[in-house]
Tab-separated table of all heavy atoms in Angstrom:
chain	number	residue	atom	x	y	z
A	116	ARG	N	-89.103	197.340	-59.264
A	116	ARG	CA	-88.848	198.026	-57.969
A	116	ARG	C	-88.616	197.048	-56.876
A	116	ARG	O	-89.279	196.017	-56.866
A	116	ARG	CB	-90.054	198.891	-57.659
A	116	ARG	CG	-89.972	199.659	-56.310
A	116	ARG	CD	-91.149	200.532	-56.075
A	116	ARG	NE	-91.248	201.549	-57.120
A	116	ARG	CZ	-92.247	202.372	-57.195
A	116	ARG	NH1	-93.256	202.353	-56.377
A	116	ARG	NH2	-92.293	203.320	-58.201
A	117	SER	N	-87.734	197.316	-55.993
A	117	SER	CA	-87.469	196.422	-54.876
A	117	SER	C	-88.733	196.176	-54.099
A	117	SER	O	-89.333	197.153	-53.729
A	117	SER	CB	-86.349	197.020	-54.011
A	117	SER	OG	-85.167	197.106	-54.689
A	118	ALA	N	-89.021	194.958	-53.927
A	118	ALA	CA	-90.229	194.597	-53.139
A	118	ALA	C	-89.760	193.925	-51.841
A	118	ALA	O	-88.856	193.086	-51.884
A	118	ALA	CB	-91.135	193.741	-53.888
A	119	SER	N	-90.380	194.256	-50.737
A	119	SER	CA	-90.027	193.644	-49.491
A	119	SER	C	-90.425	192.181	-49.456
A	119	SER	O	-91.585	191.894	-49.823
A	119	SER	CB	-90.704	194.393	-48.342
A	119	SER	OG	-90.245	195.708	-48.295
A	120	LEU	N	-89.575	191.332	-49.089
A	120	LEU	CA	-89.866	189.938	-48.991
A	120	LEU	C	-90.743	189.691	-47.744
A	120	LEU	O	-90.482	190.273	-46.708
A	120	LEU	CB	-88.642	188.997	-48.903
A	120	LEU	CG	-87.785	189.023	-50.199
A	120	LEU	CD1	-86.566	188.211	-49.952
A	120	LEU	CD2	-88.569	188.447	-51.345
A	121	VAL	N	-91.782	188.864	-47.922
A	121	VAL	CA	-92.588	188.590	-46.776
A	121	VAL	C	-91.951	187.627	-45.856
A	121	VAL	O	-91.581	186.493	-46.294
A	121	VAL	CB	-93.981	188.031	-47.203
A	121	VAL	CG1	-94.856	187.747	-46.012
A	121	VAL	CG2	-94.688	189.062	-48.138
A	122	ALA	N	-91.671	187.947	-44.631
A	122	ALA	CA	-90.922	187.070	-43.770
A	122	ALA	C	-91.856	185.941	-43.261
A	122	ALA	O	-92.985	186.123	-43.196
A	122	ALA	CB	-90.452	187.814	-42.547
A	123	SER	N	-91.250	184.725	-43.079
A	123	SER	CA	-92.037	183.637	-42.554
A	123	SER	C	-92.466	183.961	-41.133
A	123	SER	O	-91.792	184.643	-40.387
A	123	SER	CB	-91.151	182.393	-42.519
A	123	SER	OG	-90.756	182.077	-43.821
A	124	ALA	N	-93.686	183.464	-40.804
A	124	ALA	CA	-94.243	183.710	-39.465
A	124	ALA	C	-93.295	183.105	-38.433
A	124	ALA	O	-92.839	182.029	-38.491
A	124	ALA	CB	-95.610	183.073	-39.362
A	125	ALA	N	-92.946	183.960	-37.386
A	125	ALA	CA	-92.000	183.517	-36.350
A	125	ALA	C	-92.670	182.519	-35.406
A	125	ALA	O	-93.827	182.611	-35.033
A	125	ALA	CB	-91.543	184.756	-35.563
A	126	ALA	N	-91.881	181.564	-35.004
A	126	ALA	CA	-92.377	180.587	-34.061
A	126	ALA	C	-92.596	181.255	-32.635
A	126	ALA	O	-91.832	182.146	-32.295
A	126	ALA	CB	-91.360	179.430	-33.908
A	127	VAL	N	-93.592	180.833	-31.946
A	127	VAL	CA	-93.876	181.369	-30.625
A	127	VAL	C	-92.881	180.747	-29.667
A	127	VAL	O	-92.801	179.540	-29.576
A	127	VAL	CB	-95.295	181.073	-30.241
A	127	VAL	CG1	-95.596	181.794	-28.865
A	127	VAL	CG2	-96.256	181.505	-31.274
A	128	LEU	N	-92.079	181.636	-28.977
A	128	LEU	CA	-91.068	181.106	-28.040
A	128	LEU	C	-91.443	181.220	-26.625
A	128	LEU	O	-91.905	182.221	-26.214
A	128	LEU	CB	-89.750	181.859	-28.369
A	128	LEU	CG	-89.201	181.731	-29.793
A	128	LEU	CD1	-87.924	182.533	-29.983
A	128	LEU	CD2	-88.908	180.279	-30.160
A	129	ALA	N	-91.009	180.220	-25.857
A	129	ALA	CA	-91.107	180.242	-24.423
A	129	ALA	C	-92.428	180.699	-23.869
A	129	ALA	O	-92.561	181.500	-22.997
A	129	ALA	CB	-89.989	181.067	-23.785
A	130	LEU	N	-93.492	180.108	-24.440
A	130	LEU	CA	-94.825	180.443	-23.953
A	130	LEU	C	-95.369	179.231	-23.139
A	130	LEU	O	-95.769	178.224	-23.699
A	130	LEU	CB	-95.755	180.607	-25.216
A	130	LEU	CG	-96.399	181.987	-25.351
A	130	LEU	CD1	-97.214	181.987	-26.642
A	130	LEU	CD2	-97.281	182.261	-24.190
A	131	THR	N	-95.368	179.417	-21.859
A	131	THR	CA	-95.855	178.359	-21.003
A	131	THR	C	-97.368	178.330	-21.091
A	131	THR	O	-98.048	179.353	-21.058
A	131	THR	CB	-95.481	178.603	-19.516
A	131	THR	OG1	-94.046	178.744	-19.440
A	131	THR	CG2	-95.956	177.522	-18.648
A	132	THR	N	-97.935	177.150	-21.369
A	132	THR	CA	-99.348	177.012	-21.603
A	132	THR	C	-99.893	175.876	-20.750
A	132	THR	O	-99.238	175.156	-20.063
A	132	THR	CB	-99.616	176.708	-23.085
A	132	THR	OG1	-99.227	175.367	-23.315
A	132	THR	CG2	-98.834	177.611	-24.003
A	133	ALA	N	-101.246	175.757	-20.912
A	133	ALA	CA	-101.961	174.733	-20.219
A	133	ALA	C	-101.762	173.358	-20.902
A	133	ALA	O	-102.303	172.384	-20.412
A	133	ALA	CB	-103.428	175.024	-20.113
A	134	CYS	N	-101.008	173.387	-22.001
A	134	CYS	CA	-100.844	172.097	-22.681
A	134	CYS	C	-99.794	171.195	-21.970
A	134	CYS	O	-99.564	170.086	-22.496
A	134	CYS	CB	-100.412	172.360	-24.152
A	134	CYS	SG	-101.481	173.450	-24.968
A	135	GLY	N	-99.062	171.702	-21.048
A	135	GLY	CA	-98.044	170.956	-20.363
A	135	GLY	C	-96.674	170.989	-20.956
A	135	GLY	O	-95.848	170.201	-20.693
A	136	GLN	N	-96.497	171.959	-21.864
A	136	GLN	CA	-95.145	172.128	-22.479
A	136	GLN	C	-95.026	173.563	-22.956
A	136	GLN	O	-95.907	174.329	-22.964
A	136	GLN	CB	-94.990	171.175	-23.688
A	136	GLN	CG	-95.863	171.573	-24.900
A	136	GLN	CD	-95.504	170.799	-26.107
A	136	GLN	OE1	-95.611	169.578	-26.134
A	136	GLN	NE2	-95.063	171.487	-27.165
A	137	GLU	N	-93.747	173.870	-23.330
A	137	GLU	CA	-93.504	175.189	-23.895
A	137	GLU	C	-93.434	175.156	-25.423
A	137	GLU	O	-93.137	174.101	-25.983
A	137	GLU	CB	-92.144	175.727	-23.303
A	137	GLU	CG	-92.224	176.015	-21.823
A	137	GLU	CD	-90.962	176.684	-21.350
A	137	GLU	OE1	-89.928	176.565	-22.009
A	137	GLU	OE2	-91.010	177.267	-20.270
A	138	SER	N	-93.694	176.270	-25.970
A	138	SER	CA	-93.614	176.384	-27.443
A	138	SER	C	-92.239	175.939	-27.958
A	138	SER	O	-91.283	176.276	-27.379
A	138	SER	CB	-93.897	177.780	-27.884
A	138	SER	OG	-93.602	177.972	-29.244
A	139	GLY	N	-92.242	175.279	-29.139
A	139	GLY	CA	-91.011	174.922	-29.776
A	139	GLY	C	-90.536	173.556	-29.401
A	139	GLY	O	-89.589	173.024	-29.985
A	140	THR	N	-91.153	172.923	-28.418
A	140	THR	CA	-90.759	171.544	-28.006
A	140	THR	C	-91.502	170.539	-28.901
A	140	THR	O	-92.570	170.776	-29.302
A	140	THR	CB	-91.030	171.281	-26.508
A	140	THR	OG1	-92.377	171.475	-26.276
A	140	THR	CG2	-90.206	172.202	-25.681
A	141	SER	N	-90.918	169.371	-29.061
A	141	SER	CA	-91.576	168.345	-29.888
A	141	SER	C	-92.682	167.718	-29.181
A	141	SER	O	-92.625	167.396	-27.967
A	141	SER	CB	-90.524	167.266	-30.283
A	141	SER	OG	-89.480	167.843	-31.012
A	142	ALA	N	-93.767	167.457	-29.891
A	142	ALA	CA	-94.935	166.808	-29.338
A	142	ALA	C	-94.671	165.298	-29.304
A	142	ALA	O	-93.860	164.793	-30.081
A	142	ALA	CB	-96.186	167.117	-30.186
A	143	SER	N	-95.357	164.580	-28.459
A	143	SER	CA	-95.247	163.163	-28.357
A	143	SER	C	-95.709	162.545	-29.659
A	143	SER	O	-96.606	163.017	-30.278
A	143	SER	CB	-96.107	162.624	-27.230
A	143	SER	OG	-95.722	163.236	-25.966
A	144	VAL	N	-95.020	161.484	-30.043
A	144	VAL	CA	-95.385	160.816	-31.341
A	144	VAL	C	-96.652	160.007	-31.157
A	144	VAL	O	-96.722	159.103	-30.326
A	144	VAL	CB	-94.189	159.934	-31.779
A	144	VAL	CG1	-94.595	159.213	-33.011
A	144	VAL	CG2	-92.921	160.681	-31.914
């Protein structure tokens, strides 16, 4: 029977936080 594929968890977009950056941007190395 056709089974629904489990989608990968979506990245959190454009969430301004107290971390000093928005979601999806690269962290400092």
Side-chain angles (χ1 to χ4, degrees):
R116 178 178 297 175
S117 297
S119 299
L120 294 175
V121 180
S123 300
V127 185
L128 300 177
L130 240 180
T131 303
T132 73
C134 306
Q136 69 170 61
E137 292 186 341
S138 167
T140 59
S141 298
S143 303
V144 180

